[in-house]
Structure formats: C-alpha cells, structure tokens
Amino acid sequence: MLRVLLGEPPRQNSGVLADAMDNMAKVASMLRKEMNAHEDRDHEYRKLEVWTRGLISSLDELEQSWFAAAFYRKLVVAGYMDDMSVTEQGEYARYVYFYKNGFIRVFSLLDKLGTVLNSLYNLNTSQTKAHFSYFTVLRQFQLLKEHTPLADELENIKNSYREPLQNLRKRRNAEIHYMNAEMQDDLWQRHQGLHDKIQLEDLDSHLEDLRQGLEMVCKSLCAAFRYSNEQWHKNASSQKRV
C-alpha cells in the first residue's frame, strides 16, 4: 500500500520475508482444512487461524514502515535541524513517523507471536506473568523444557540480534513511557551547549537497527510456523498409523 502512495512498484517478497509469509500461510491453510474436516466446537482452530492471518498483516505493515522510513531518510540531506528548509523538515518528520511506527511494531508483533505460541503449545505463561511478552514466552519454553528444538532456535535468533533489539527497545520505551525519542536527543544536545545547533541523530544507524529488527521478526516467525507445520504433520501421520 505505502509503495503505491510513494510511487514505487509493489513489493515482491523474497528472502526471510518470503519464508516467514509462506510458513504462516501454510499454517493458516492447514487450520482452515482442519475446520472444514472437523466441527471445531470450541473455535480453537478458528481463533488460531485469525491470529495467524493477523500476524501476516502485521508483518506486511512492519516491512512497509521500514521501507517508508528508508524512503524519506534519503530525502533528508542536512545534518542539523537549523539548516533544513521547510520542505526538508517535512521529509524528516515523515521519516520520524514511519521509523517510530516501525520500532513500535517490532515489539508489538513479537508479543502477538508470543500469544500464538502460548496458545499453540499450552504454555500457560499467564500463570507466570499476567501480562506477558514474547520474551516471557521464551523463558516459559525453557522452564517447561518442552519443544526444545523450537525453543533453542528462537533463543538463538533473539541472541544474535541482541544489540539492535536493545537499541530499538530503548527508543520504544522513551517514546511510549517518557517522551519522544528525538526530543530526548534534542534536550541532551541543548544541555551540552545552549546556543549550539541541534545535530540530527544517526539516521542510518537507526534505520539499520530497524532493518535488523525486521529481519529478527521474520526469522522468528519462520522458525515458529515451520516447526508448528512440521509438528502438525507428524501428529497427523502418527494418528493414521494407529
């Protein structure tokens, strides 16, 4: 959608984004088949299908936010706020909007994945923490020592993106709980020199953190839904043999 508004051609899914989308689509299709084959009296299959399709939409929106932020970043040339034209200030504001939207969506999407995993594998994470996050779900996997291959893969993915996730989390917390992240940067600079020009934050570094956050989300989704699909087929085969 955003690519059309920006005059860009539609996205062609590839790499880890395509892998994540494909694995989620397979699970959603499998759940639909189960609903058609059985009565699904408790609507569990339906709920999981809706959640899975919601994750597909959320991933699409996250990728678009990253793309739009990167698009507007290219239009920001000045290194200081005071040196920007009115037009460039507008481009910078649009970059900030989509960048913020992106890093908030990273953690929102991970938490949604945690909710799906908690339900799929009966982890009962809410007994440990009423309002749990994706990272609480990962700890619950380790605590219960169940589905170890999946738990280990998700933990390794998380650890390999530790630094960009920490950077994004700090900015998310500043945005949600304290003040706008860019305002915090401005205040710090004003403290250093009251009459100095305000230098922009490192836009390229921040965008790279968001790109890696998107990549981490894609890999986590791919691992979770690939494993779920494999487990489903194993269980179905076992039932047929019995």
Side-chain angles (χ1 to χ4, degrees):
M1 180 180 70
L2 289 179
R3 281 176 169 79
V4 173
L5 294 177
L6 297 173
E8 297 290 319
R11 181 185 69 221
Q12 298 294 321
N13 292 344
S14 61
V16 291
L17 177 68
D19 290 342
M21 292 289 194
D22 290 346
N23 278 283
M24 287 190 287
K26 286 177 183 176
V27 170
S29 176
M30 176 189 67
L31 290 165
R32 171 57 58 178
K33 289 178 182 176
E34 288 295 326
M35 278 188 284
N36 292 335
H38 305 93
E39 292 189 16
D40 189 27
R41 292 181 185 275
D42 59 0
H43 303 291
E44 188 66 20
Y45 292 147
R46 177 57 177 160
K47 179 186 74 176
L48 288 169
E49 186 209 15
V50 169
W51 284 355
T52 299
R53 296 197 184 281
L55 281 172
I56 292 172
S57 296
S58 293
L59 180 57
D60 176 55
E61 291 161 0
L62 169 57
E63 191 281 336
Q64 289 188 73
S65 294
W66 169 78
F67 179 86
F71 178 92
Y72 285 113
R73 187 272 169 270
K74 294 174 185 175
L75 303 178
V76 178
V77 180
Y80 294 88
M81 289 287 293
D82 305 85
D83 295 340
M84 287 184 181
S85 65
V86 173
T87 299
E88 192 172 359
Q89 288 176 16
E91 308 294 11
Y92 174 67
R94 284 180 276 277
Y95 153 79
V96 169
Y97 175 85
F98 286 111
Y99 172 67
K100 286 182 187 178
N101 195 42
F103 66 63
I104 289 171
R105 284 183 181 277
V106 165
F107 296 99
S108 171
L109 202 156
L110 286 173
D111 288 346
K112 290 175 184 177
L113 172 59
T115 298
V116 172
L117 291 173
N118 183 65
S119 183
L120 268 174
Y121 298 111
N122 299 312
L123 300 177
N124 297 314
T125 311
S126 58
Q127 294 180 7
T128 302
K129 189 176 181 181
H131 302 289
F132 58 85
S133 70
Y134 171 72
F135 303 101
T136 313
V137 171
L138 291 191
R139 290 193 292 273
Q140 187 74 350
F141 266 124
Q142 300 291 343
L143 181 66
L144 297 177
K145 295 182 170 57
E146 293 183 359
H147 301 285
T148 304
L150 173 60
D152 288 346
E153 185 173 5
L154 292 175
E155 190 70 22
N156 288 336
I157 292 170
K158 182 199 75 172
N159 290 336
S160 65
Y161 289 89
R162 185 179 300 277
E163 183 176 349
L165 280 181
Q166 285 179 341
N167 293 339
L168 292 173
R169 183 183 286 108
K170 287 177 183 176
R171 299 188 73 79
R172 188 276 309 264
N173 289 345
E175 179 67 27
I176 293 176
H177 300 298
Y178 303 110
M179 64 177 72
N180 293 351
E182 70 276 10
M183 285 177 61
Q184 202 168 41
D185 290 340
D186 294 350
L187 283 172
W188 183 86
Q189 289 192 55
R190 288 300 190 196
H191 180 69
Q192 302 305 303
L194 184 60
H195 301 292
D196 293 345
K197 292 195 295 184
I198 297 176
Q199 186 174 7
L200 293 187
E201 67 272 22
D202 190 339
L203 305 187
D204 292 328
S205 175
H206 288 181
L207 264 180
E208 177 60 14
D209 284 338
L210 182 56
R211 186 197 68 77
Q212 290 192 53
L214 168 61
E215 189 174 86
M216 181 269 183
V217 165
C218 288
K219 289 182 178 180
S220 300
L221 288 167
C222 186
F225 283 90
R226 184 185 63 244
Y227 180 85
S228 299
N229 200 30
E230 291 170 355
Q231 289 297 110
W232 201 281
H233 286 297
K234 282 181 184 178
N235 293 338
S237 298
S238 298
Q239 291 173 4
K240 287 179 181 178
R241 285 197 295 270
V242 173

